[in-house]
Amino acid sequence: MVKIALIGVMSLILGTASYGEAAGQISLNEVGQADHPRLFFDASMIPALQGKAATTHQDIWLAIREHAESEFGTVPPSESPDEDTTIYRNYGNQLISFAFACVITEGSEYCDLATEHLLAYAAWERWDEDDYRDLGLAHMLLGNALAYDWLYDRLTPAERQTVRESLAGWAHKMYEASAGLKDDAWRNWWRKSYMQNHFSTNHSALGMAGLALLGEDERAQLWIDQASSRLTRFRDMLDGIQDGSWHEGINYQNYTLTLLLPFAVNLRAIQGVDLLPDTYLQNYPYWRIYNHLANSTDFILAYGNFEWDWGNGYRPQNVLRFIAAEYDEGRAEWMAQQLIANDRRSGTVWKAPWYVFEFLYYDPAIDPISPSSLEKARSFSDLEGVIWRTGWGADDLVFGLKTGAYGGRLAFETFTQELYPWDAPCAETGCQLNVGHDHDDANTFFIYRAGSWLAPESVGYDQGATAFHNTLLIDGQGQYRVSDFNDPDDFKGSDGFLQASANTTCFDYVAADATRRYKNIAGVQDVTRHVLFVRPDYFVMLDNLVVTATHKYAWVSHFGQSVSVEDNWVRGDADDQQTLGVGIVSPPSFQTVTGDDGKAFVHIQPISPTGDVRFINVLYPTEQAAWDARPTVSLLEDSGEAAATSVQWEDGRGDDILLTYAEITGTRTLGPYQYDAQAAIVARDPQDNLNKLFVYGGTFVKDQAKDTILVTNLDRDEPFEAIYFDRTVAVNGNIATQVTLYAPQAQRLFVNGWLGSFDRSGDHITFDGSGPGTLQAPIINICTRPVVLDVPFYCRSF
């Protein structure tokens, strides 16, 4: 894909010429003391930036200006303060918005504010808490590098020398921390922690200091090369992550990408070296779009160390707007606009510095593209999770589940096998897979509906234990916790994984295996969670536990506000009159424990210690006023290999859900059914007519009670669904075989939205998916009350 350069010489308001077209690429031997500014823009581009501030970028600019003006009259400390890392980070961060305000306004108050702080910092004897060489120093390096570059013409020769010497001295300290041995006094554990936010942030800042001082300090290229070498590994790891996720969670991802991009962007512009993780960045908008919760900056997969009051930390719209401009990606712009709309702009030190990057990246020529045409389900292969949605509107339902490995799949596999980028053996070289922000949360789930959390978790920076998550406890114990980040053997055999994932228009299925995450508990042979979503109404969740001894078990879920128990139903009330019902199907004899660990929770437990066990629960999102209309749920049969669950509605509708949890093949009998699938659902209307059919992982389903084959000759690797309505059957799936389907009343057949032909033999029709039909037509409300728009009845023969 042709890349769009970050900033170019343009008309005063809306020009779009690329940087290379306008100024040519700046090479090392062309950079000298007078070549400032050079970071993000040069002097010739400033009028265009000022024009944007008055027009297309005005809302961004006003918040930056507000921050600078709020600090008028403040005097920076004359000596380095005795404060923690966060304070030093903010001292560095605020210089970004102060200096940029000077560039845009050229006003004395703005410029004096920036230069006074810049000169004060140059006199400090410490740029991080306890003289660490870590994040505090990194933010000071970034802010001072940009301010020195942007304010260069406002400084006297003596002031330039003072700032230059200070910046160079601190940059070299960061270089030593990166290139040298681990020193606890420096707190430089991060130097070979390739998948941790400190690693990328500290090296990016080192590189920015080098770019600012090119031609002025002979060590500058050394710093750039060190940063580039280290971040090449990071880029390669990111590009190997195929789903845009990040193991530390979305807030740390915001931080990591926001602090990575400045060096990558400027290194490419100045030296022609490209460290941008293009593949990762192009996947990132979809990760954020599927996670997005309408009318908020929140996200469904709320995992890892974070607090909700961190909000939209580091304003990731800056990253999304970079991606939108760089790759002409309208969906990235849409996602950026959602975050902006739901995160009120304000001129604070927590926001304004990152608005500067947003200002520099934003291209108003990129039109937003809504996600409405995207599939409503997506799997994430590195995180090993799924997100299922009914849409992106305010009243929609969103479900998320994650399992996976500590550090994410790619990092886990390369680290445990001692492959690139790790310098094996890490125990000797100091490389580490730092998963300190990861939680013990494999197979946890989240549910959000109509603006309310129905199944949240008890989030918290230090709440990584399994009990705070919506998963399983064994004898009160949670999942294995890696303790030695330098030792691949400590990681081995501790990963969960997605066993299967299948999606059709009206059904979604996932099987997530967390067995190895419980390797700390002897004799655990299987811990697999199966979930089937019957859109848009409910979920069936089956957890299969196979062990070699008896244990006490607890199935854990948290709720939005409160929890109560009514017979075999757990009621979890949430905001805005929303409710999540948990219908307990199995174990047949159970007890519940409720409490609050930051969120209301329930533990569902067998009455007494037992061996193998199945937890089967129907998760039913509804409104509090409709609680009494909830379905009746019951167990038809548990064969020891598979379980059949019945969901019956007041109006006479009934669904039978068949889930195979044992690793077996071949035909099995379960309740009234014979089948060979991993998951299936047979839904009937109040008159007992077949209404919906879903099959995955098998070739046929037969209703033995009616002596009727419902479907046969399916491809077991592909999910299949059939929806019956109005003398019509709509089939969805990758149809690669001659399928025979029970459809006694069907006069029309749609295959993946196309009107198709079929042969009839009695109550069955036979068809294939060999090619598109002759006519395509929308079927609205297909999962609830389907209607075909303006298509005649059609079939080949009866």
Side-chain angles (χ1 to χ4, degrees):
M1 183 176 293
V2 177
K3 293 183 177 178
I4 300 173
L6 172 63
I7 298 176
V9 173
M10 55 196 80
S11 66
L12 189 61
I13 298 175
L14 291 174
T16 58
S18 73
Y19 184 91
E21 292 170 345
Q25 202 159 69
I26 303 173
S27 64
L28 174 60
N29 59 15
E30 293 173 338
V31 174
Q33 289 190 11
D35 293 322
H36 293 286
R38 68 175 72 133
L39 300 176
F40 287 108
F41 53 85
D42 61 30
S44 70
M45 301 176 186
I46 292 175
L49 296 176
Q50 292 168 334
K52 290 179 176 182
T55 55
T56 57
H57 294 48
Q58 187 178 61
D59 71 309
I60 310 173
W61 158 243
L62 291 177
I64 300 168
R65 189 183 72 182
E66 178 188 345
H67 177 227
E69 291 175 350
S70 72
E71 296 296 322
F72 283 175
T74 62
V75 178
S78 58
E79 298 179 350
S80 48
D82 185 17
E83 298 284 1
D84 65 17
T85 292
T86 298
I87 300 302
Y88 279 97
R89 287 159 74 173
N90 281 344
Y91 277 127
N93 296 345
Q94 68 183 3
L95 257 183
I96 301 171
S97 44
F98 293 171
F100 192 71
C102 173
V103 169
I104 297 300
T105 66
E106 300 182 339
S108 59
E109 281 190 287
Y110 299 92
C111 296
D112 289 347
L113 176 71
T115 54
E116 287 170 6
H117 280 77
L118 180 63
L119 292 169
Y121 297 165
W124 286 4
E125 296 181 350
R126 188 166 62 245
W127 271 16
D128 201 346
E129 177 185 0
D130 293 334
D131 214 19
Y132 292 149
R133 303 184 183 189
D134 200 358
L135 293 181
L137 176 56
H139 286 250
M140 288 290 285
L141 284 175
L142 175 62
N144 281 269
L146 288 170
Y148 172 72
D149 180 63
W150 293 348
L151 301 174
Y152 187 88
D153 289 343
R154 301 235 167 222
L155 302 172
T156 67
E159 289 170 339
R160 294 171 189 163
Q161 182 67 18
T162 296
V163 174
R164 185 162 53 242
E165 290 179 356
S166 170
L167 180 59
W170 290 112
H172 199 69
K173 289 180 182 292
M174 185 67 91
Y175 167 79
E176 292 173 336
S178 170
L181 298 176
K182 180 183 176 183
D183 188 328
D184 289 340
W186 292 351
R187 203 169 179 257
N188 68 331
W189 57 265
W190 49 264
R191 72 199 202 288
K192 292 186 178 181
S193 190
Y194 304 129
M195 290 293 288
Q196 218 277 348
N197 66 86
H198 290 234
F199 174 84
S200 55
T201 297
N202 293 341
H203 283 105
S204 181
L206 172 63
M208 286 293 282
L211 291 175
L213 295 177
L214 270 175
E216 302 172 57
D217 190 296
E218 62 183 9
R219 299 167 295 179
Q221 190 61 47
L222 178 69
W223 307 331
I224 294 169
D225 291 344
Q226 177 68 12
S228 299
S229 173
R230 292 301 190 193
L231 290 175
T232 294
R233 298 174 185 242
F234 188 62
R235 176 203 62 197
D236 294 345
M237 289 297 284
L238 287 182
D239 274 343
I241 297 173
Q242 296 296 310
D243 58 11
S245 68
W246 181 243
H247 71 100
E248 294 182 300
I250 282 179
N251 276 282
Y252 279 104
Q253 184 181 41
N254 294 349
Y255 178 64
T256 297
L257 295 179
T258 292
L259 275 296
L260 172 69
L261 282 180
F263 178 55
V265 167
N266 285 286
L267 181 67
R268 184 179 64 177
I270 293 172
Q271 295 198 328
V273 177
D274 193 346
L275 288 180
L276 287 170
D278 295 311
T279 300
Y280 184 83
L281 292 175
Q282 290 175 80
N283 285 322
Y284 172 73
Y286 295 89
W287 164 247
R288 290 307 308 262
I289 286 168
Y290 276 90
N291 265 286
H292 177 58
L293 301 179
N295 299 327
S296 79
T297 61
D298 293 350
F299 35 87
I300 189 65
L301 291 177
Y303 63 88
N305 276 348
F306 81 101
E307 305 285 351
W308 280 120
D309 63 12
W310 293 3
N312 189 38
Y314 290 86
R315 309 314 115 178
Q317 60 261 32
N318 85 84
V319 177
L320 289 159
R321 282 189 149 167
F322 171 80
I323 293 168
E326 181 76 6
Y327 307 109
D328 192 18
E329 176 52 81
R331 289 198 174 98
E333 176 61 23
W334 180 89
M335 188 64 240
Q337 291 186 14
Q338 304 313 300
L339 295 177
I340 293 165
N342 294 292
D343 180 30
R344 184 180 63 84
R345 288 204 190 273
S346 61
T348 70
V349 70
W350 303 102
K351 297 183 178 183
W354 323 122
Y355 292 154
V356 173
F357 297 150
E358 180 190 353
F359 186 107
L360 293 167
Y361 301 148
Y362 174 45
D363 182 354
I366 305 299
D367 292 326
I369 299 175
S370 88
S372 59
S373 63
L374 294 177
E375 298 293 334
K376 302 301 189 293
R378 194 174 180 100
S379 296
F380 298 91
S381 58
D382 195 81
L383 179 79
E384 299 201 74
V386 299
I387 297 175
W388 302 334
R389 315 180 61 99
T390 59
W392 278 268
D395 294 327
D396 279 304
L397 172 68
V398 190
F399 171 89
L401 177 146
K402 71 174 290 285
T403 184
Y406 287 113
R409 179 53 59 188
L410 177 70
F412 181 89
E413 294 295 339
T414 54
F415 186 70
T416 56
Q417 297 177 51
E418 300 186 272
L419 303 174
Y420 175 83
W422 312 99
D423 297 318
C426 286
E428 297 178 12
T429 65
C431 57
Q432 62 168 235
L433 176 52
N434 189 312
V435 295
H437 292 312
D438 295 29
H439 284 189
D440 313 338
D441 61 356
N443 284 9
T444 194
F445 70 93
F446 309 83
I447 302 176
Y448 185 92
R449 180 177 183 260
S452 298
W453 279 101
L454 303 187
E457 290 188 331
S458 186
V459 303
Y461 189 87
D462 293 319
Q463 295 186 178
T466 305
F468 293 110
H469 304 282
N470 298 332
T471 184
L472 298 163
L473 301 175
I474 303 176
D475 295 328
Q477 298 182 65
Q479 296 165 11
Y480 181 75
R481 182 69 185 170
V482 171
S483 59
D484 188 346
F485 300 158
N486 297 95
D487 183 5
D489 288 338
D490 199 18
F491 284 79
K492 289 178 180 177
S494 68
D495 58 319
F497 61 93
L498 284 185
Q499 183 189 89
S501 179
N503 312 102
T504 59
T505 304
C506 298
F507 302 94
D508 300 282
Y509 169 74
V510 67
D513 188 333
T515 308
R516 294 196 289 257
R517 291 293 286 260
Y518 291 89
K519 75 171 190 174
N520 50 312
I521 302 173
V524 175
Q525 297 181 337
D526 186 34
V527 182
T528 300
R529 171 162 283 177
H530 304 256
V531 186
L532 197 150
F533 182 20
V534 182
R535 290 176 174 268
D537 295 325
Y538 65 92
F539 307 84
V540 177
M541 182 176 291
L542 184 155
D543 290 282
N544 182 50
L545 291 95
V546 178
V547 295
T548 59
T550 60
H551 297 278
K552 295 179 180 179
Y553 307 99
W555 184 94
V556 182
S557 181
H558 293 79
F559 301 96
Q561 283 189 337
S562 63
V563 60
S564 59
V565 181
E566 304 177 20
D567 298 322
N568 70 322
W569 280 91
V570 178
R571 174 172 172 166
D573 286 342
D575 296 331
D576 298 327
Q577 300 299 304
Q578 297 293 311
T579 292
L580 177 65
V582 179
I584 304 170
V585 177
S586 182
S589 299
F590 63 88
Q591 61 188 8
T592 59
V593 176
T594 59
D596 192 313
D597 58 8
K599 284 292 182 183
F601 68 78
V602 68
H603 289 188
I604 300 173
Q605 306 167 340
I607 290 292
S608 59
T610 186
D612 299 353
V613 69
R614 251 79 59 202
F615 289 97
I616 305 175
N617 296 295
V618 174
L619 309 181
Y620 177 57
T622 188
E623 296 177 354
Q624 293 174 21
W627 174 248
D628 290 340
R630 64 191 182 278
T632 300
V633 299
S634 61
L635 182 67
L636 292 177
E637 182 183 1
D638 185 340
S639 69
E641 297 176 344
T645 299
S646 170
V647 177
Q648 298 292 321
W649 303 88
E650 285 186 337
D651 63 5
R653 290 176 295 133
D655 303 342
D656 293 340
I657 299 93
L658 317 178
L659 294 172
T660 301
Y661 51 79
E663 294 186 7
I664 58 174
T665 58
T667 298
R668 63 200 66 101
T669 298
L670 188 66
Y673 300 101
Q674 188 179 65
Y675 74 115
D676 64 351
Q678 186 167 352
I681 179 169
V682 180
R684 297 186 182 276
D685 66 18
Q687 289 73 45
D688 202 33
N689 297 313
L690 195 59
N691 186 29
K692 298 176 186 176
L693 180 66
F694 169 79
V695 184
Y696 170 69
T699 63
F700 83 99
V701 176
K702 179 179 180 180
D703 185 339
Q704 295 193 116
K706 299 179 183 296
D707 193 27
T708 301
I709 294 175
L710 302 182
V711 66
T712 190
N713 204 35
L714 296 175
D715 181 344
R716 68 172 57 253
D717 295 325
E718 297 291 341
F720 171 89
E721 77 172 12
I723 311 298
Y724 299 80
F725 62 99
D726 189 26
R727 294 179 296 165
T728 299
V729 61
V731 168
N732 290 289
N734 184 12
I735 311 299
T737 57
Q738 286 279 340
V739 175
T740 298
L741 177 68
Y742 179 71
Q745 300 178 28
Q747 296 182 23
R748 293 185 299 185
L749 169 70
F750 287 88
V751 180
N752 298 319
W754 288 88
L755 190 64
S757 61
F758 59 85
D759 293 313
R760 176 174 292 285
S761 175
D763 288 340
H764 291 80
I765 62 173
T766 300
F767 58 92
D768 61 33
S770 58
T774 57
L775 183 62
Q776 188 177 30
I779 304 175
I780 61 173
N781 303 322
I782 187 169
C783 300
T784 53
R785 296 178 178 177
V787 175
V788 180
L789 300 183
D790 299 326
V791 176
F793 286 98
Y794 171 84
C795 68
R796 187 194 307 164
S797 60
F798 291 89

